[in-house]
Amino acid sequence: EDQVTQSPEALRLQEGESSSLNCSYTVSGLRGLFWYRQDPGKGPEFLFTLYSAGEEKEKERLKATLTKKESFLHITAPKPEDSATYLCAVQDHNQGGKLIFGQGTELSVKP
Amino acid sequence: DAGITQSPRHKVTETGTPVTLRCHQTENHRYMYWYRQDPGHGLRLIHYSYGVKDTDKGEVSDGYSVSRSKTEDFLLTLESATSSQTSVYFCAISPAGGINEQFFGPGTRLTVL
């Protein structure tokens, strides 16, 4: 059974304090791994798609990496506006376009 | 929100009443999805559509039905709402069902008393 586990559940950082969020996954055949950002009361906002181990994607202070078992979302010198819940999801080759989501990591960045 | 609207945005209803949520897109994307989001469970797929009149079940489809008579509209119906269906419902769209990212709407908060 496909499974996605995100850690930690919550992370509190000071502004400028870099850190990483983890997404561990189990799928029979990975088609893609997706990162989303979700602000309170809003829908998830797409950030990145990673397709194969070794791939990296960057956007402003965020960098996503992928191995065969997990993905990391690195946040460099975060700002308060980076505070949000970050969601990871996977697509399995055998499950069509369905996304399996983790429960998310709630990030809080204090000034 | 990638040209996606959901209506209503908030609804309070009573157990046993029928409820219909609407998702409308202006992107002309082929695939549309309905998810629910609950604390401790994350986002879970209810139903999805891969074209007009073409729909299939997701992970948590019991108690829900869907219809898609036009490319732009995807309706989610709770035939007889129960308290366990209190949740936030999100619609998502994707240009294709393959390895394409899904774009989400703003959500509908439904409370069943």
Side-chain angles (χ1 to χ4, degrees), chain A residues 1 31-34 36 38 41-46 49-51 87 91 95-103, chain B residues 1 9 33 35 37 40-43 45 48 56-59 90 97-107:
Chain A
E1 181 181 335
R31 174 177 270 177
L33 185 141
F34 302 82
Y36 287 84
Q38 187 174 23
K42 296 193 174 182
E45 174 189 347
F46 170 74
T49 306
L50 300 168
Y51 300 96
L87 304 173
Q91 262 186 350
Q95 296 294 325
K98 300 174 188 177
L99 290 180
I100 307 298
F101 280 86
Q103 295 190 27
Chain B
D1 290 321
R9 294 293 314 280
Y33 306 82
Y35 290 87
Q37 187 174 39
H41 290 281
L43 280 156
L45 181 65
Y48 67 102
D56 204 350
K57 295 179 180 180
E59 178 187 0
F90 289 100
I99 191 166
N100 284 282
E101 53 271 13
Q102 296 179 15
F103 300 97
F104 285 79

CSV table of all heavy atoms in Angstrom, one decimal, chain A residues 1 31-34 36 38 41-46 49-51 87 91 95-103, chain B residues 1 9 33 35 37 40-43 45 48 56-59 90 97-107:
chain,number,residue,atom,x,y,z
A,1,GLU,N,0.8,-1.2,0.0
A,1,GLU,CA,0.0,0.0,0.0
A,1,GLU,C,0.9,1.3,0.0
A,1,GLU,O,1.8,1.4,0.7
A,1,GLU,CB,-0.9,0.0,1.2
A,1,GLU,CG,-1.8,1.2,1.3
A,1,GLU,CD,-2.7,1.2,2.6
A,1,GLU,OE1,-2.9,0.1,3.1
A,1,GLU,OE2,-3.1,2.2,3.0
A,31,ARG,N,5.9,7.6,-9.9
A,31,ARG,CA,5.7,8.3,-11.1
A,31,ARG,C,6.2,9.8,-10.9
A,31,ARG,O,6.8,10.4,-11.7
A,31,ARG,CB,4.3,8.3,-11.5
A,31,ARG,CG,4.0,9.2,-12.7
A,31,ARG,CD,2.6,9.0,-13.2
A,31,ARG,NE,2.4,8.0,-14.1
A,31,ARG,CZ,1.2,7.6,-14.6
A,31,ARG,NH1,0.1,8.2,-14.2
A,31,ARG,NH2,1.1,6.7,-15.5
A,32,GLY,N,5.9,10.3,-9.7
A,32,GLY,CA,6.3,11.7,-9.4
A,32,GLY,C,6.1,12.0,-7.9
A,32,GLY,O,5.2,11.4,-7.3
A,33,LEU,N,6.8,12.9,-7.4
A,33,LEU,CA,6.6,13.4,-6.0
A,33,LEU,C,6.4,14.9,-6.1
A,33,LEU,O,7.1,15.6,-6.8
A,33,LEU,CB,7.9,13.1,-5.1
A,33,LEU,CG,7.7,13.4,-3.6
A,33,LEU,CD1,8.3,12.3,-2.8
A,33,LEU,CD2,8.3,14.8,-3.3
A,34,PHE,N,5.4,15.3,-5.3
A,34,PHE,CA,5.0,16.7,-5.4
A,34,PHE,C,5.1,17.4,-4.0
A,34,PHE,O,4.7,16.8,-3.0
A,34,PHE,CB,3.5,16.8,-5.9
A,34,PHE,CG,3.3,16.1,-7.2
A,34,PHE,CD1,3.1,14.8,-7.3
A,34,PHE,CD2,3.2,16.9,-8.4
A,34,PHE,CE1,2.9,14.1,-8.5
A,34,PHE,CE2,3.0,16.3,-9.6
A,34,PHE,CZ,2.9,14.9,-9.7
A,36,TYR,N,3.6,20.8,-2.0
A,36,TYR,CA,2.6,21.9,-2.0
A,36,TYR,C,2.8,22.7,-0.7
A,36,TYR,O,3.3,22.2,0.3
A,36,TYR,CB,1.2,21.4,-2.0
A,36,TYR,CG,0.7,20.8,-3.3
A,36,TYR,CD1,1.0,19.5,-3.6
A,36,TYR,CD2,0.0,21.5,-4.2
A,36,TYR,CE1,0.6,18.9,-4.8
A,36,TYR,CE2,-0.5,21.0,-5.4
A,36,TYR,CZ,-0.2,19.7,-5.7
A,36,TYR,OH,-0.6,19.2,-6.9
A,38,GLN,N,0.4,25.2,1.9
A,38,GLN,CA,-0.9,25.5,2.2
A,38,GLN,C,-1.0,26.5,3.3
A,38,GLN,O,-0.5,26.3,4.4
A,38,GLN,CB,-1.7,24.3,2.6
A,38,GLN,CG,-3.2,24.5,2.8
A,38,GLN,CD,-4.0,23.3,3.0
A,38,GLN,OE1,-3.5,22.3,3.4
A,38,GLN,NE2,-5.3,23.3,2.7
A,41,GLY,N,-6.8,28.3,5.7
A,41,GLY,CA,-8.1,28.7,5.1
A,41,GLY,C,-8.0,28.7,3.6
A,41,GLY,O,-8.9,29.2,2.9
A,42,LYS,N,-6.9,28.2,3.0
A,42,LYS,CA,-6.7,28.2,1.5
A,42,LYS,C,-6.4,26.8,1.0
A,42,LYS,O,-6.1,25.9,1.8
A,42,LYS,CB,-5.6,29.2,1.2
A,42,LYS,CG,-5.9,30.6,1.5
A,42,LYS,CD,-4.9,31.6,0.9
A,42,LYS,CE,-5.3,33.0,1.1
A,42,LYS,NZ,-4.4,33.9,0.4
A,43,GLY,N,-6.5,26.7,-0.3
A,43,GLY,CA,-6.2,25.4,-0.9
A,43,GLY,C,-4.7,25.3,-1.1
A,43,GLY,O,-3.9,26.3,-1.1
A,44,PRO,N,-4.2,24.1,-1.2
A,44,PRO,CA,-2.8,23.8,-1.5
A,44,PRO,C,-2.3,24.5,-2.7
A,44,PRO,O,-3.0,24.5,-3.8
A,44,PRO,CB,-2.7,22.3,-1.6
A,44,PRO,CG,-3.9,21.8,-0.9
A,44,PRO,CD,-4.9,22.8,-1.1
A,45,GLU,N,-1.1,25.1,-2.6
A,45,GLU,CA,-0.5,25.8,-3.8
A,45,GLU,C,0.7,25.0,-4.2
A,45,GLU,O,1.6,24.6,-3.5
A,45,GLU,CB,0.0,27.2,-3.3
A,45,GLU,CG,0.8,27.9,-4.4
A,45,GLU,CD,1.4,29.2,-3.8
A,45,GLU,OE1,1.0,29.6,-2.7
A,45,GLU,OE2,2.3,29.8,-4.5
A,46,PHE,N,0.8,24.6,-5.5
A,46,PHE,CA,1.8,23.8,-6.1
A,46,PHE,C,3.2,24.5,-6.0
A,46,PHE,O,3.3,25.7,-6.3
A,46,PHE,CB,1.5,23.4,-7.5
A,46,PHE,CG,2.6,22.8,-8.3
A,46,PHE,CD1,2.9,21.5,-8.0
A,46,PHE,CD2,3.4,23.5,-9.2
A,46,PHE,CE1,4.0,20.8,-8.7
A,46,PHE,CE2,4.4,22.9,-9.9
A,46,PHE,CZ,4.7,21.5,-9.6
A,49,THR,N,7.6,19.5,-8.7
A,49,THR,CA,7.4,18.1,-9.0
A,49,THR,C,8.8,17.5,-9.2
A,49,THR,O,9.7,18.1,-9.9
A,49,THR,CB,6.7,17.9,-10.3
A,49,THR,OG1,5.4,18.5,-10.3
A,49,THR,CG2,6.4,16.4,-10.6
A,50,LEU,N,9.1,16.4,-8.6
A,50,LEU,CA,10.4,15.6,-8.7
A,50,LEU,C,10.0,14.3,-9.3
A,50,LEU,O,9.1,13.6,-8.9
A,50,LEU,CB,11.1,15.5,-7.4
A,50,LEU,CG,11.4,16.8,-6.7
A,50,LEU,CD1,11.8,16.5,-5.2
A,50,LEU,CD2,12.5,17.5,-7.4
A,51,TYR,N,10.8,13.9,-10.3
A,51,TYR,CA,10.5,12.6,-11.0
A,51,TYR,C,11.4,11.5,-10.7
A,51,TYR,O,11.0,10.3,-10.7
A,51,TYR,CB,10.6,12.9,-12.5
A,51,TYR,CG,9.7,14.0,-13.0
A,51,TYR,CD1,10.1,15.3,-13.2
A,51,TYR,CD2,8.3,13.7,-13.3
A,51,TYR,CE1,9.2,16.3,-13.6
A,51,TYR,CE2,7.4,14.7,-13.7
A,51,TYR,CZ,7.9,16.0,-13.9
A,51,TYR,OH,7.0,16.9,-14.3
A,87,LEU,N,3.0,20.3,2.3
A,87,LEU,CA,2.4,19.0,2.0
A,87,LEU,C,3.3,18.3,0.9
A,87,LEU,O,3.7,18.9,0.0
A,87,LEU,CB,1.0,19.1,1.5
A,87,LEU,CG,0.0,19.8,2.4
A,87,LEU,CD1,-1.3,20.0,1.7
A,87,LEU,CD2,-0.2,19.1,3.7
A,91,GLN,N,2.7,10.1,-6.6
A,91,GLN,CA,1.9,9.4,-7.7
A,91,GLN,C,2.5,8.1,-7.9
A,91,GLN,O,3.7,8.0,-8.1
A,91,GLN,CB,1.8,10.2,-9.0
A,91,GLN,CG,0.6,11.1,-9.2
A,91,GLN,CD,0.6,11.7,-10.5
A,91,GLN,OE1,1.6,11.7,-11.3
A,91,GLN,NE2,-0.5,12.4,-10.8
A,95,GLN,N,-1.4,3.6,-10.1
A,95,GLN,CA,-2.6,4.2,-9.6
A,95,GLN,C,-3.1,5.4,-10.4
A,95,GLN,O,-3.8,6.3,-9.9
A,95,GLN,CB,-2.4,4.7,-8.1
A,95,GLN,CG,-2.1,3.5,-7.1
A,95,GLN,CD,-3.3,2.6,-7.0
A,95,GLN,OE1,-4.5,3.1,-7.0
A,95,GLN,NE2,-3.1,1.3,-6.8
A,96,GLY,N,-2.6,5.5,-11.6
A,96,GLY,CA,-3.0,6.5,-12.5
A,96,GLY,C,-2.6,7.9,-12.0
A,96,GLY,O,-1.5,8.0,-11.6
A,97,GLY,N,-3.5,8.9,-12.0
A,97,GLY,CA,-3.1,10.2,-11.7
A,97,GLY,C,-3.4,10.5,-10.2
A,97,GLY,O,-3.3,11.7,-9.8
A,98,LYS,N,-3.8,9.5,-9.4
A,98,LYS,CA,-4.1,9.8,-8.0
A,98,LYS,C,-2.9,10.2,-7.2
A,98,LYS,O,-1.9,9.6,-7.3
A,98,LYS,CB,-4.8,8.5,-7.4
A,98,LYS,CG,-6.0,8.1,-8.1
A,98,LYS,CD,-6.5,6.7,-7.6
A,98,LYS,CE,-7.6,6.2,-8.4
A,98,LYS,NZ,-8.1,4.8,-8.0
A,99,LEU,N,-3.1,11.2,-6.3
A,99,LEU,CA,-2.1,11.6,-5.4
A,99,LEU,C,-2.4,11.1,-4.0
A,99,LEU,O,-3.5,11.1,-3.6
A,99,LEU,CB,-2.1,13.2,-5.3
A,99,LEU,CG,-1.6,13.9,-6.5
A,99,LEU,CD1,-1.7,15.4,-6.3
A,99,LEU,CD2,-0.2,13.5,-6.9
A,100,ILE,N,-1.3,10.6,-3.4
A,100,ILE,CA,-1.4,10.1,-2.0
A,100,ILE,C,-0.6,11.2,-1.2
A,100,ILE,O,0.6,11.4,-1.4
A,100,ILE,CB,-0.7,8.8,-1.8
A,100,ILE,CG1,-1.3,7.7,-2.8
A,100,ILE,CG2,-0.9,8.3,-0.4
A,100,ILE,CD1,-2.8,7.5,-2.6
A,101,PHE,N,-1.3,11.8,-0.3
A,101,PHE,CA,-0.7,12.9,0.5
A,101,PHE,C,-0.2,12.5,1.9
A,101,PHE,O,-0.8,11.6,2.5
A,101,PHE,CB,-1.7,14.0,0.7
A,101,PHE,CG,-1.9,14.9,-0.5
A,101,PHE,CD1,-2.8,14.6,-1.5
A,101,PHE,CD2,-1.2,16.1,-0.5
A,101,PHE,CE1,-3.0,15.4,-2.6
A,101,PHE,CE2,-1.4,17.0,-1.6
A,101,PHE,CZ,-2.3,16.6,-2.6
A,102,GLY,N,0.8,13.1,2.3
A,102,GLY,CA,1.2,13.0,3.7
A,102,GLY,C,0.4,14.0,4.5
A,102,GLY,O,-0.4,14.8,4.0
A,103,GLN,N,0.6,14.0,5.8
A,103,GLN,CA,-0.3,14.8,6.7
A,103,GLN,C,0.3,16.2,6.9
A,103,GLN,O,-0.4,17.1,7.5
A,103,GLN,CB,-0.4,14.2,8.1
A,103,GLN,CG,-1.2,12.9,8.0
A,103,GLN,CD,-1.6,12.3,9.3
A,103,GLN,OE1,-1.7,13.1,10.3
A,103,GLN,NE2,-1.7,11.0,9.4
B,1,ASP,N,-5.7,30.9,-7.7
B,1,ASP,CA,-6.2,29.5,-7.6
B,1,ASP,C,-6.4,28.9,-8.9
B,1,ASP,O,-7.3,28.1,-9.1
B,1,ASP,CB,-7.5,29.5,-6.7
B,1,ASP,CG,-7.3,29.8,-5.3
B,1,ASP,OD1,-6.3,29.3,-4.7
B,1,ASP,OD2,-8.1,30.5,-4.7
B,9,ARG,N,-18.7,28.5,-0.3
B,9,ARG,CA,-17.4,28.4,0.4
B,9,ARG,C,-17.6,27.9,1.9
B,9,ARG,O,-16.7,27.3,2.4
B,9,ARG,CB,-16.8,29.8,0.5
B,9,ARG,CG,-16.4,30.3,-0.9
B,9,ARG,CD,-15.2,29.5,-1.5
B,9,ARG,NE,-14.1,29.2,-0.5
B,9,ARG,CZ,-13.2,30.1,-0.2
B,9,ARG,NH1,-13.1,31.3,-0.8
B,9,ARG,NH2,-12.3,29.8,0.7
B,33,TYR,N,-10.9,16.6,-9.7
B,33,TYR,CA,-10.8,15.8,-8.5
B,33,TYR,C,-11.5,16.4,-7.3
B,33,TYR,O,-11.6,17.6,-7.2
B,33,TYR,CB,-9.3,15.6,-8.1
B,33,TYR,CG,-8.4,15.1,-9.1
B,33,TYR,CD1,-7.8,15.9,-10.0
B,33,TYR,CD2,-8.1,13.7,-9.2
B,33,TYR,CE1,-7.0,15.5,-11.0
B,33,TYR,CE2,-7.2,13.2,-10.2
B,33,TYR,CZ,-6.6,14.1,-11.1
B,33,TYR,OH,-5.8,13.7,-12.0
B,35,TYR,N,-11.4,16.2,-3.1
B,35,TYR,CA,-10.7,15.7,-1.9
B,35,TYR,C,-11.4,16.2,-0.7
B,35,TYR,O,-12.1,17.2,-0.7
B,35,TYR,CB,-9.2,16.2,-1.9
B,35,TYR,CG,-8.3,15.7,-2.9
B,35,TYR,CD1,-8.2,16.3,-4.1
B,35,TYR,CD2,-7.5,14.6,-2.6
B,35,TYR,CE1,-7.3,15.8,-5.1
B,35,TYR,CE2,-6.5,14.1,-3.5
B,35,TYR,CZ,-6.5,14.7,-4.8
B,35,TYR,OH,-5.6,14.3,-5.7
B,37,GLN,N,-10.3,17.1,3.4
B,37,GLN,CA,-9.1,17.3,4.3
B,37,GLN,C,-9.6,17.3,5.8
B,37,GLN,O,-10.4,18.2,6.1
B,37,GLN,CB,-8.4,18.6,4.0
B,37,GLN,CG,-7.1,18.8,4.7
B,37,GLN,CD,-6.3,20.0,4.3
B,37,GLN,OE1,-6.8,21.0,4.0
B,37,GLN,NE2,-4.9,19.8,4.2
B,40,GLY,N,-5.4,14.9,11.1
B,40,GLY,CA,-5.0,13.5,11.3
B,40,GLY,C,-5.0,12.6,10.1
B,40,GLY,O,-4.5,11.5,10.1
B,41,HIS,N,-5.7,13.1,9.0
B,41,HIS,CA,-5.8,12.2,7.8
B,41,HIS,C,-5.2,12.9,6.6
B,41,HIS,O,-5.0,12.2,5.6
B,41,HIS,CB,-7.3,11.9,7.6
B,41,HIS,CG,-7.9,11.0,8.6
B,41,HIS,ND1,-7.7,9.6,8.5
B,41,HIS,CD2,-8.7,11.2,9.6
B,41,HIS,CE1,-8.4,9.1,9.5
B,41,HIS,NE2,-9.0,10.0,10.2
B,42,GLY,N,-5.0,14.2,6.6
B,42,GLY,CA,-4.5,14.8,5.4
B,42,GLY,C,-5.6,14.9,4.3
B,42,GLY,O,-6.8,14.7,4.6
B,43,LEU,N,-5.1,15.1,3.1
B,43,LEU,CA,-6.0,15.1,2.0
B,43,LEU,C,-6.3,13.7,1.4
B,43,LEU,O,-5.3,13.0,1.2
B,43,LEU,CB,-5.4,16.0,0.9
B,43,LEU,CG,-5.5,17.5,1.0
B,43,LEU,CD1,-4.4,18.2,0.3
B,43,LEU,CD2,-6.8,17.9,0.5
B,45,LEU,N,-8.6,11.4,-1.5
B,45,LEU,CA,-9.4,11.5,-2.7
B,45,LEU,C,-10.7,10.9,-2.6
B,45,LEU,O,-10.8,9.7,-2.1
B,45,LEU,CB,-8.6,10.8,-3.8
B,45,LEU,CG,-9.2,10.9,-5.2
B,45,LEU,CD1,-9.3,12.3,-5.8
B,45,LEU,CD2,-8.4,10.0,-6.2
B,48,TYR,N,-12.9,11.2,-8.8
B,48,TYR,CA,-12.3,12.1,-9.8
B,48,TYR,C,-13.0,11.8,-11.2
B,48,TYR,O,-13.7,10.9,-11.3
B,48,TYR,CB,-10.8,11.8,-9.9
B,48,TYR,CG,-10.4,10.4,-10.4
B,48,TYR,CD1,-10.0,10.2,-11.7
B,48,TYR,CD2,-10.4,9.3,-9.6
B,48,TYR,CE1,-9.6,9.0,-12.2
B,48,TYR,CE2,-10.1,8.1,-10.0
B,48,TYR,CZ,-9.6,7.9,-11.3
B,48,TYR,OH,-9.3,6.7,-11.8
B,56,ASP,N,-14.7,8.2,-11.6
B,56,ASP,CA,-14.3,7.0,-10.9
B,56,ASP,C,-14.1,7.3,-9.4
B,56,ASP,O,-14.0,8.4,-9.0
B,56,ASP,CB,-12.9,6.5,-11.5
B,56,ASP,CG,-12.7,5.0,-11.3
B,56,ASP,OD1,-13.5,4.4,-10.5
B,56,ASP,OD2,-11.8,4.4,-11.9
B,57,LYS,N,-14.1,6.2,-8.6
B,57,LYS,CA,-14.0,6.3,-7.2
B,57,LYS,C,-12.6,6.5,-6.7
B,57,LYS,O,-11.6,6.0,-7.3
B,57,LYS,CB,-14.6,5.1,-6.5
B,57,LYS,CG,-16.1,4.9,-6.8
B,57,LYS,CD,-16.6,3.6,-6.1
B,57,LYS,CE,-18.1,3.4,-6.4
B,57,LYS,NZ,-18.6,2.2,-5.7
B,58,GLY,N,-12.5,7.3,-5.6
B,58,GLY,CA,-11.2,7.4,-4.9
B,58,GLY,C,-11.2,6.6,-3.7
B,58,GLY,O,-11.9,5.6,-3.5
B,59,GLU,N,-10.3,7.0,-2.8
B,59,GLU,CA,-10.1,6.3,-1.5
B,59,GLU,C,-11.3,6.3,-0.6
B,59,GLU,O,-11.5,5.3,0.2
B,59,GLU,CB,-8.9,6.9,-0.8
B,59,GLU,CG,-8.5,6.3,0.5
B,59,GLU,CD,-7.4,7.1,1.1
B,59,GLU,OE1,-6.9,8.2,0.5
B,59,GLU,OE2,-6.9,6.8,2.2
B,90,PHE,N,-11.9,20.1,-1.1
B,90,PHE,CA,-11.2,20.8,-2.1
B,90,PHE,C,-11.4,20.1,-3.5
B,90,PHE,O,-11.4,18.9,-3.6
B,90,PHE,CB,-9.7,20.7,-1.8
B,90,PHE,CG,-9.3,21.6,-0.6
B,90,PHE,CD1,-9.1,21.1,0.6
B,90,PHE,CD2,-9.1,23.0,-0.8
B,90,PHE,CE1,-8.7,21.9,1.7
B,90,PHE,CE2,-8.8,23.8,0.3
B,90,PHE,CZ,-8.6,23.3,1.5
B,97,GLY,N,-4.1,13.1,-16.7
B,97,GLY,CA,-4.0,12.3,-15.6
B,97,GLY,C,-2.6,11.6,-15.4
B,97,GLY,O,-2.4,10.9,-14.4
B,98,GLY,N,-1.7,11.9,-16.2
B,98,GLY,CA,-0.4,11.4,-16.1
B,98,GLY,C,0.4,12.2,-15.0
B,98,GLY,O,-0.1,12.6,-14.0
B,99,ILE,N,1.6,12.3,-15.3
B,99,ILE,CA,2.5,13.0,-14.3
B,99,ILE,C,2.4,14.5,-14.4
B,99,ILE,O,3.3,15.2,-14.8
B,99,ILE,CB,4.0,12.5,-14.5
B,99,ILE,CG1,4.8,13.0,-13.3
B,99,ILE,CG2,4.6,12.9,-15.8
B,99,ILE,CD1,6.1,12.3,-13.2
B,100,ASN,N,1.2,15.0,-14.1
B,100,ASN,CA,0.9,16.4,-14.1
B,100,ASN,C,0.5,16.8,-12.7
B,100,ASN,O,-0.3,16.2,-12.1
B,100,ASN,CB,-0.2,16.7,-15.1
B,100,ASN,CG,0.3,16.7,-16.5
B,100,ASN,OD1,1.0,17.6,-17.0
B,100,ASN,ND2,0.0,15.6,-17.2
B,101,GLU,N,1.0,18.0,-12.4
B,101,GLU,CA,0.6,18.5,-11.1
B,101,GLU,C,-0.9,18.9,-11.1
B,101,GLU,O,-1.5,19.1,-12.1
B,101,GLU,CB,1.4,19.8,-10.7
B,101,GLU,CG,1.4,20.8,-11.8
B,101,GLU,CD,2.6,20.6,-12.8
B,101,GLU,OE1,3.2,19.5,-12.8
B,101,GLU,OE2,2.8,21.5,-13.6
B,102,GLN,N,-1.5,18.8,-9.9
B,102,GLN,CA,-2.9,19.2,-9.7
B,102,GLN,C,-2.9,20.6,-9.1
B,102,GLN,O,-2.1,20.9,-8.2
B,102,GLN,CB,-3.6,18.1,-8.8
B,102,GLN,CG,-3.7,16.8,-9.5
B,102,GLN,CD,-4.4,15.7,-8.6
B,102,GLN,OE1,-5.0,16.0,-7.7
B,102,GLN,NE2,-4.2,14.5,-9.0
B,103,PHE,N,-3.9,21.4,-9.5
B,103,PHE,CA,-4.1,22.7,-9.0
B,103,PHE,C,-5.4,22.8,-8.2
B,103,PHE,O,-6.4,22.3,-8.7
B,103,PHE,CB,-4.0,23.7,-10.1
B,103,PHE,CG,-2.8,23.7,-10.9
B,103,PHE,CD1,-2.7,23.0,-12.1
B,103,PHE,CD2,-1.7,24.4,-10.4
B,103,PHE,CE1,-1.5,23.0,-12.8
B,103,PHE,CE2,-0.5,24.4,-11.1
B,103,PHE,CZ,-0.4,23.6,-12.3
B,104,PHE,N,-5.3,23.3,-7.0
B,104,PHE,CA,-6.4,23.2,-6.1
B,104,PHE,C,-7.2,24.5,-6.0
B,104,PHE,O,-6.7,25.6,-6.2
B,104,PHE,CB,-5.9,22.9,-4.7
B,104,PHE,CG,-5.5,21.5,-4.5
B,104,PHE,CD1,-4.3,21.0,-5.0
B,104,PHE,CD2,-6.4,20.5,-3.9
B,104,PHE,CE1,-3.9,19.7,-4.9
B,104,PHE,CE2,-6.0,19.2,-3.8
B,104,PHE,CZ,-4.8,18.8,-4.3
B,105,GLY,N,-8.5,24.3,-5.7
B,105,GLY,CA,-9.4,25.5,-5.5
B,105,GLY,C,-9.3,25.9,-4.0
B,105,GLY,O,-8.6,25.4,-3.3
B,106,PRO,N,-10.1,26.9,-3.7
B,106,PRO,CA,-10.0,27.5,-2.4
B,106,PRO,C,-10.7,26.7,-1.2
B,106,PRO,O,-10.5,27.0,-0.1
B,106,PRO,CB,-10.8,28.9,-2.5
B,106,PRO,CG,-11.7,28.6,-3.6
B,106,PRO,CD,-11.1,27.7,-4.6
B,107,GLY,N,-11.5,25.7,-1.6
B,107,GLY,CA,-12.1,24.9,-0.6
B,107,GLY,C,-13.5,25.3,-0.2
B,107,GLY,O,-13.9,26.5,-0.3
